[in-house]
Amino acid sequence: GGYSSGGGRRVKPSKKRKGEGAGSAGEQGGESKGSGEVPWYRSFVKESDALYTTYMEKEWGYPVLNDDRKLFEMLILEGAQAGLTWATVLKKREGYRTLFHNFEISKVADITPDEEKKLVEDARIIRHKGKIAATVLNAKVALTIIEEEGSLSKYLWSFVGGKPKINERKGLSDMSSKSPEAEVMSKALKKRGMKFVGPTICYAFMQACGMVIDAPIGTPQREAILKKIRKDGLE
């Protein structure tokens, strides 16, 4: 979740700039120019939305390494967002955690067809039959990946060479909705049988989990993320 994952990819902005498609937020109204006075993401995150603001400040963009459960959670939530906004997904995140066993992959993979039918009727999550079925299917595929590769983390991070790709974004209008690495990841996951893992979803996932660093130059958020990366020896 975040810019491509919630902010730009599928949020419907009030304005579009010439040449910008669905992958761009299309407006710079709340964009920080490096002063940090106005959060760069304010054009797509309402100031009144504390949940989304906290997510952008404390979670989005920070590398998630060696945590298969968290990576699986983010991959599923990014897919759940398709056609919706990240704000909608965040509001239902706790519902997802409750109903999908806190995203413990083996437990999600064991969800039965009858249980899936019940989940479709539960308003605590996005009631989309295809997305719910894909969550269970993707968990089964994830288990295969873990068995073959040792961990889901190792496999997913391999698409960026095992460490964050640090981009030099000037602001929202300088961001992309996909990348060559996301295209390769999407193709590989689809080949394994996963669903709701298109290249735009994969890039949003990569942004959210710090596989690519897209926080704009000069923003406090970027500095905090880079500091964490240096501390963890991920440069």
Side-chain angles (χ1 to χ4, degrees), residues 9-34:
R9 167 158 52 90
R10 285 154 286 188
V11 162
K12 297 178 181 178
S14 58
K15 296 180 181 179
K16 274 195 177 182
R17 295 160 64 90
K18 186 177 180 180
E20 290 181 336
S24 173
E27 58 178 305
Q28 302 182 60
E31 187 176 325
S32 171
K33 298 300 182 182

Side-chain angles (χ1 to χ4, degrees), residues 194-229:
M194 282 196 180
K195 295 184 178 180
F196 288 95
V197 287
T200 306
I201 288 173
C202 284
Y203 191 68
F205 165 75
M206 295 169 89
Q207 285 180 311
C209 295
M211 293 176 184
V212 294
I213 307 304
D214 273 354
I217 296 170
T219 59
Q221 183 190 23
R222 179 184 178 86
E223 295 309 310
I225 291 171
L226 293 181
K227 182 178 180 180
K228 181 71 163 57
I229 286 174

Side-chain angles (χ1 to χ4, degrees), residues 166-223:
I166 301 173
N167 292 322
E168 302 292 322
R169 307 296 192 189
K170 296 177 181 178
L172 286 179
S173 60
D174 191 33
M175 291 192 192
S176 303
S177 62
K178 57 184 71 173
S179 71
E181 294 89 351
E183 296 272 6
V184 174
M185 177 188 282
S186 173
K187 186 176 180 179
L189 292 177
K190 286 181 178 180
K191 187 175 181 179
R192 284 178 171 274
M194 282 196 180
K195 295 184 178 180
F196 288 95
V197 287
T200 306
I201 288 173
C202 284
Y203 191 68
F205 165 75
M206 295 169 89
Q207 285 180 311
C209 295
M211 293 176 184
V212 294
I213 307 304
D214 273 354
I217 296 170
T219 59
Q221 183 190 23
R222 179 184 178 86
E223 295 309 310

Side-chain angles (χ1 to χ4, degrees), residues 16 26 43 83 108 111 114 125 129 153 155 181 199 205 207:
K16 274 195 177 182
S43 63
V108 176
I111 290 176
D114 284 342
I125 60 174
K129 184 177 179 181
S153 177
Y155 177 75
E181 294 89 351
F205 165 75
Q207 285 180 311

Side-chain angles (χ1 to χ4, degrees), residues 4 23 34-35 45 71-72 93 136 143 160 178 181 183 210 222:
S4 272
S35 66
V45 180
L71 288 167
F72 179 68
R93 191 180 194 180
V136 179
L143 288 179
V160 290
K178 57 184 71 173
E181 294 89 351
E183 296 272 6
R222 179 184 178 86

Side-chain angles (χ1 to χ4, degrees), residues 83-102:
L84 303 170
T85 66
W86 188 246
T88 298
V89 174
L90 280 180
K91 289 174 184 176
K92 292 184 178 289
R93 191 180 194 180
E94 289 306 318
Y96 271 91
R97 287 172 171 171
T98 298
L99 296 174
F100 287 104
H101 309 288
N102 200 32

